[in-house]
Amino acid sequence: MPEPPVWYLLAAIAISGAITVALRALPFAALKPLRKSKLVQQLGLWMPAGLLLILVVSVLRDEIIARPGDIWAIAASSAVTVVVHLTCRRRALLSIAAGTACYVLLLNLF
Amino acid sequence: MRPHSASPLATAESPRKEQVRAGLVDSLGVGIGIFPLGIALGMLVVQAGLPWWLAPALSVGVFAGSVELLLVSLLASAAPLLTIAVTVFALNFRHVFYAFSFPLSRVRHGLPRAYSVYALIDEAYATYALLPPERLASARIVTGQLAMQAYWVGGGLVGAAIASALPEPIEGFEFALYALFIVMTLDAARSRRAIPSIVLAGLAMTVAILLTPDSALLVGLALFTALLVVRHLVTRRSGSSGSTGSTGSTGSTESDAAGAEGTVSDA
């Protein structure tokens, strides 16, 4: 495949960057007058844990769609990540490395 | 809450040097996930036949991990700019929700605050939204975010170098992003108080995947938010003495929950 032109790559980066920054910045401005609202405070309190779960489900789903034949590897590596994290005193480094290493090995060896 | 292994129990009043150190320590936990992911990004860029400089350019221009990985495949297939814009908007729309709970008020006005907003990646949100705001100072948050971006850019360069030297591609490094989110969720779910939020999120995502499989992430987030609003209305009607007993005084609310829900970065 021929390498895409540089202007195209730079334009894509500029557009994507502008959209990303706007999505991050505008809500802060919009929420400013609502800071004192009880609802906004409670949403801030309740959101983090659930939002993380939603990210997990979303990324997991993308991976299953991208590699439908490797669901067993995804399941096994997820289990390794969870078990290592819960049994090895919640050391993020170890759990992420173990899960990813397991996945890379399973995908490339079998 | 468990203290960081090396991080001092820095408070907002600690000296600046202490804050910078705390920020670096904060970034280590997620850095373990970000750096390999940066390597994965760099490898993907080179393996897709794109120029190596795209990896650092993406990490500075579009600093948003999961979207960068996706952009590589879109750019490699020469997707139209409009498609790219819509995809980035849909995938990053969740960042809108971060404004509810990211402690931006702790960051100094001007350049630090502008950078903090620009660099508000998932990992930065997860790290600082779960820490009690009164323990956070501007220097700590900004240092943590700068370090996270450094891991990401550095990882991309290393990955591009590795891929250029490899005879054959190695697959599966994208799992690091998923593993990172698993670990963060496990830590956030440590306290019983986080369970309702997680159950509602699971419910929202299930419905979203069944009804709108093409935009499940976006619809799931909207549904989750709607469910939390309902929860707010229900708990308010049933009286503030019930399940919301701990949220009586607004002052202690955030720190209370942040402590109870467990911190991600001390994992």
Side-chain angles (χ1 to χ4, degrees), chain A residues 53-93:
Chain A
L53 179 80
I54 289 178
L55 290 179
V56 167
V57 174
S58 169
V59 175
L60 168 66
R61 191 167 156 266
D62 289 347
E63 192 63 19
I64 292 176
I65 292 172
R67 302 183 194 273
D70 298 317
I71 290 184
W72 60 276
I74 298 173
S77 310
S78 307
V80 166
T81 308
V82 172
V83 169
V84 168
H85 197 59
L86 295 182
T87 55
C88 296
R89 302 174 57 198
R90 294 177 177 272
R91 274 176 295 200
L93 159 73

Side-chain angles (χ1 to χ4, degrees), chain B residues 130-176:
Chain B
L130 293 175
L131 282 174
E134 68 275 359
R135 275 185 52 203
L136 296 171
S138 187
R140 177 172 179 178
I141 297 176
V142 173
T143 304
Q145 289 184 285
L146 275 169
M148 290 176 201
Q149 187 158 24
Y151 301 142
W152 190 234
V153 174
L157 291 173
V158 171
I162 293 176
S164 309
L166 273 184
E168 278 197 50
I170 301 176
E171 295 191 324
F173 282 103
E174 71 274 12
F175 194 86

Side-chain angles (χ1 to χ4, degrees), chain B residues 39-50 52 155-170:
Chain B
I39 294 182
L41 175 81
M43 293 180 74
L44 284 176
V45 165
V46 171
Q47 287 173 0
L50 295 163
W52 67 270
L157 291 173
V158 171
I162 293 176
S164 309
L166 273 184
E168 278 197 50
I170 301 176

Side-chain angles (χ1 to χ4, degrees), chain A residues 20-21 24-25 28, chain B residues 63 95 98 102-122 124-125 128 136-146 148-149:
Chain A
T20 303
V21 167
R24 284 172 185 168
F28 282 108
Chain B
F63 190 27
H95 291 247
Y98 293 166
F102 186 78
L104 189 69
S105 56
R106 306 299 306 174
V107 180
R108 273 193 298 128
H109 281 278
L111 198 61
R113 190 170 278 201
Y115 177 77
S116 190
V117 171
Y118 151 78
L120 187 44
I121 54 171
D122 298 326
Y125 167 77
Y128 290 115
L136 296 171
S138 187
R140 177 172 179 178
I141 297 176
V142 173
T143 304
Q145 289 184 285
L146 275 169
M148 290 176 201
Q149 187 158 24

Side-chain angles (χ1 to χ4, degrees), chain B residues 105-259:
Chain B
S105 56
R106 306 299 306 174
V107 180
R108 273 193 298 128
H109 281 278
L111 198 61
R113 190 170 278 201
Y115 177 77
S116 190
V117 171
Y118 151 78
L120 187 44
I121 54 171
D122 298 326
E123 292 82 358
Y125 167 77
T127 300
Y128 290 115
L130 293 175
L131 282 174
E134 68 275 359
R135 275 185 52 203
L136 296 171
S138 187
R140 177 172 179 178
I141 297 176
V142 173
T143 304
Q145 289 184 285
L146 275 169
M148 290 176 201
Q149 187 158 24
Y151 301 142
W152 190 234
V153 174
L157 291 173
V158 171
I162 293 176
S164 309
L166 273 184
E168 278 197 50
I170 301 176
E171 295 191 324
F173 282 103
E174 71 274 12
F175 194 86
L177 175 71
Y178 174 55
L180 174 66
F181 289 148
I182 292 183
V183 165
M184 284 178 157
T185 307
L186 284 177
D187 288 338
R190 216 182 318 182
S191 96
R192 211 171 272 185
R193 210 178 292 190
I195 300 301
S197 171
I198 286 181
V199 170
L200 291 179
L203 191 69
M205 210 49 194
T206 308
V207 172
I209 289 175
L210 291 176
L211 293 185
T212 55
D214 290 336
S215 47
L217 178 57
L218 203 52
V219 173
L221 282 169
L223 266 180
F224 174 55
T225 310
L227 286 173
L228 288 184
V229 171
V230 171
R231 180 183 171 195
H232 169 76
L233 295 176
V234 168
T235 50
R236 209 170 64 166
R237 184 170 301 173
S238 69
S240 55
S241 58
S243 52
T244 53
S246 62
T247 59
S249 75
T250 49
S252 64
T253 301
E254 284 184 36
S255 57
D256 211 27

